[in-house]
């Protein structure tokens, strides 16, 4: 007599559970290795300029270029035009639009961005965390933003225009400038 073997649901369940766990752990390991750049942005919503903290969607890559091979490298999109700007001590840039969608990399000094209709403010120190993006061009913001340079020394910056005024793919982490802990996690 042939014994009827009954497949209990346990093995299948265990396989599914194992796969689920494996996927979860792999995703976790991958997430652990994935670093995203967060960047203070002057954006626009409903015709008004905003200050926001953006997270660049593409994570850091590991560079394969000579001289930097093996180190973290963030691709920031296609750019067209680079201008080196020197702002005198206490310069007041006044109310203005971003002339184009552009990165501004403050390399020294201090810049303070305020908005005409909001209390939001961004204070950017030149140096390692001095990269912002300005995207409130006239077609999306009625008034723009105000930039002042309150430092007693010159502020230097590179203005880097994006091709076709297209900002990099990003998500908005929150309203207001990126906080220190959102910049230092490299
Ligand atoms: C994470 O990075 C470490 C060290 O660079 C590497 O050994 C590991 O394989 C990476 N893990 C994943 C899931 O990419
Ligand atoms: C490059 O930037 C300068 C200074 O802002 C501007 O006058 C010029 O029109 C720009 N050129 C291009 C090709 O966007
Ligand atoms: C960007 O923000 C996320 C979420 O707050 C954080 O986990 C990550 O470490 C930040 N990235 C950097 C480079 O600080």
């Amino acid at each position: 007599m042939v014994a009827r073997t009954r497949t209990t649901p346990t093995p299948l369940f265990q396989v599914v559970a194992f796969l689920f766990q494996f996927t979860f752990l792999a995703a976790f390991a991958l997430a652990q290795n994935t670093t995203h750049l967060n960047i203070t942005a002057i954006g626009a919503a409903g015709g008004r300029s905003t200050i926001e903290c953006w997270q660049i969607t593409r994570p850091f890559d590991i560079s394969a270029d000579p001289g930097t091979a093996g180190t973290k490298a963030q691709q920031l999109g296609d750019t067209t035009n680079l201008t080196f700007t020197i702002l005198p001590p206490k310069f007041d840039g006044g109310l203005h639009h971003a002339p184009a969608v552009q990165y501004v990399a403050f390399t020294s000094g201090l810049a303070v961005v305020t908005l005409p209709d909001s209390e939001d403010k961004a204070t950017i120190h030149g140096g390692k965390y001095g990269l912002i993006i300005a995207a409130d061009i006239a077609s999306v913001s009625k008034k723009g933003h105000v930039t002042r340079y309150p430092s007693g020394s010159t502020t230097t910056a590179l203005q880097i225009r994006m091709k076709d005024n297209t900002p990099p793919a990003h998500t908005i982490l929150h309203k207001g400038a990126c906080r220190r802990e959102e910049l230092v996690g490299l």
Side-chain angles (χ1 to χ4, degrees):
M1 184 173 149
V2 178
R4 287 179 68 185
T5 52
R6 235 205 256 164
T7 46
T8 63
T10 318
L12 180 63
F13 173 77
Q14 273 174 347
V15 166
V16 170
F18 174 77
L19 284 175
F20 183 78
Q21 216 171 21
F22 179 77
T23 309
F24 179 77
L25 287 174
F28 185 72
L30 209 60
Q32 290 277 299
N33 275 16
T34 309
T35 315
H36 288 269
L37 184 72
N38 307 315
I39 182 175
T40 294
I42 305 164
R48 289 167 188 226
S49 293
T50 57
I51 295 174
E52 298 163 349
C53 180
W54 288 7
Q55 180 161 91
I56 305 297
T57 303
R58 180 175 175 148
F60 275 82
D61 293 322
I62 300 299
S63 172
D65 291 340
T68 56
T71 65
K72 285 194 170 103
Q74 173 73 59
Q75 296 303 314
L76 288 171
D78 294 336
T79 61
T80 54
N81 191 359
L82 177 61
T83 308
F84 182 50
T85 311
I86 300 172
L87 302 139
K90 315 279 185 200
F91 187 72
D92 186 345
L95 184 64
H96 65 285
H97 295 103
V101 174
Q102 61 181 10
Y103 291 106
V104 183
F106 290 100
T107 47
S108 71
L110 181 67
V112 177
V113 176
T114 53
L115 300 175
D117 302 312
S118 148
E119 295 299 302
D120 282 340
K121 178 175 169 176
T123 301
I124 306 112
H125 295 267
K128 186 174 179 184
Y129 305 116
L131 181 65
I132 67 161
I133 188 163
D136 63 335
I137 55 180
S139 58
V140 294
S141 170
K142 285 194 191 85
K143 297 184 187 168
H145 64 275
V146 174
T147 314
R148 295 195 181 89
Y149 306 88
S151 154
S153 47
T154 51
T155 294
T156 52
L158 295 169
Q159 290 172 263
I160 308 152
R161 293 191 180 201
M162 300 299 295
K163 185 169 180 267
D164 303 326
N165 282 325
T166 306
H170 63 275
T171 54
I172 299 173
L173 285 184
H174 57 78
K175 189 171 160 308
C178 294
R179 295 182 278 266
R180 194 164 170 76
E181 63 268 23
E182 289 162 332
L183 302 175
V184 299
L186 291 178

